[in-house]
Amino acid sequence: MTITLRPGSTVMFTGDSITDCQRLESEQGLGFGYPLRIAGEWGLRHPDRAVTWLNSGIAGNKVMDLEARWQADVLDARPDVVSVLVGVNDVGWHTYDPDGYVIPAEDYAAGYDRLLAPLAETGADLILIEPFLLPIRGGLEVGDAHLDLEDQKKWRADLDPKIQVVRELAREYGAHLLAADGMFAELAATTGPEYWAADGVHPTPAGHTALAAAWLRLVA
């Protein structure tokens, strides 16, 4: 069953740099990625159903960072729909930040659950987007760190249980799941991963458009 966006609904996108996408430098505050594409396509399709689109993504955020600002940046906006994409920094933090450490899947799950619990009380509809990672043969540049294929395999081993966490939380909270990791893997099988995310993490324009199209299939 899809989510019905009624006239006057407020939709909140939140997460890390993939959602942020330079939102503070954009005129609408939506950034230049999938939230902007979603808002634009929705407006084109449904000029009779105006929706307020908000973006509170911040580059580099992990679940614990979202927790610290959840009340002010998400709950206080009283959104009707909340779309969350967070996790890749929870996987790789220890590899690119001198102060970083390994975040167990259990801690990721507990923190994510604390984000969703108050939203369930408000009756907001939830869209949870799986974190994703595409293998890049030339390696990934993350901050000052270079990740070769072996490093990327370690990220993948850490990411997979966190993707499972998102799937389980989606079932528990009756949220709509956007299976982004599998979607990008399928798309990359024919074009190569760099076409969708040049660094394996941040989508290209085509990647953001693919995310937007998948998201729009969850609403009506």
Side-chain angles (χ1 to χ4, degrees):
M1 183 178 295
T2 56
I3 295 170
T4 299
L5 295 183
R6 296 179 173 83
S9 293
T10 296
V11 177
M12 171 69 73
F13 300 99
T14 195
D16 53 35
S17 59
I18 301 168
T19 302
D20 181 343
C21 206
Q22 300 175 290
R23 65 182 174 87
L24 297 181
E25 300 172 26
S26 64
E27 184 177 350
Q28 304 89 351
L30 287 175
F32 302 100
Y34 73 93
L36 180 64
R37 287 162 170 77
I38 289 168
E41 183 64 26
W42 177 268
L44 177 64
R45 296 181 190 177
H46 304 286
D48 58 328
R49 279 195 278 162
V51 171
T52 297
W53 306 94
L54 302 175
N55 184 348
S56 63
I58 294 181
N61 266 199
K62 303 170 288 298
V63 162
M64 68 176 73
D65 301 310
L66 289 183
E67 277 196 86
R69 60 189 185 86
W70 200 244
Q71 182 68 49
D73 286 1
V74 176
L75 298 180
D76 285 354
R78 304 181 71 177
D80 301 290
V81 179
V82 178
S83 175
V84 186
L85 169 53
V86 65
V88 73
N89 294 304
D90 294 83
V91 169
W93 188 31
H94 62 288
T95 61
Y96 63 81
D97 188 333
D99 298 322
Y101 54 83
V102 174
I103 299 175
E106 294 78 11
D107 291 355
Y108 174 77
Y112 210 138
D113 182 67
R114 289 192 292 270
L115 298 178
L116 301 182
L119 289 170
E121 295 178 4
T122 70
D125 288 304
L126 303 175
I127 295 177
L128 306 187
I129 304 176
E130 291 177 353
F132 52 86
L133 178 67
L134 289 171
I136 304 299
R137 294 187 181 278
L140 303 184
E141 301 296 331
V142 183
D144 295 328
H146 176 82
L147 306 181
D148 60 22
L149 282 176
E150 286 304 312
D151 293 323
Q152 292 178 61
K153 288 179 182 177
K154 294 176 184 177
W155 274 41
R156 168 54 64 180
D158 193 5
L159 178 64
D160 284 343
K162 292 183 170 78
I163 291 175
Q164 189 59 36
V165 164
V166 176
R167 293 172 180 171
E168 291 171 359
L169 287 171
R171 285 194 293 270
E172 179 181 346
Y173 282 94
H176 287 69
L177 177 71
L178 198 167
D181 189 62
M183 177 189 76
F184 279 123
E186 184 175 345
L187 290 170
T190 55
T191 62
E194 292 85 355
Y195 185 82
W196 305 102
D199 63 358
V201 173
H202 298 92
T204 60
H208 276 291
T209 301
L211 269 179
W215 196 98
L216 284 163
R217 287 194 287 272
L218 302 177
V219 300

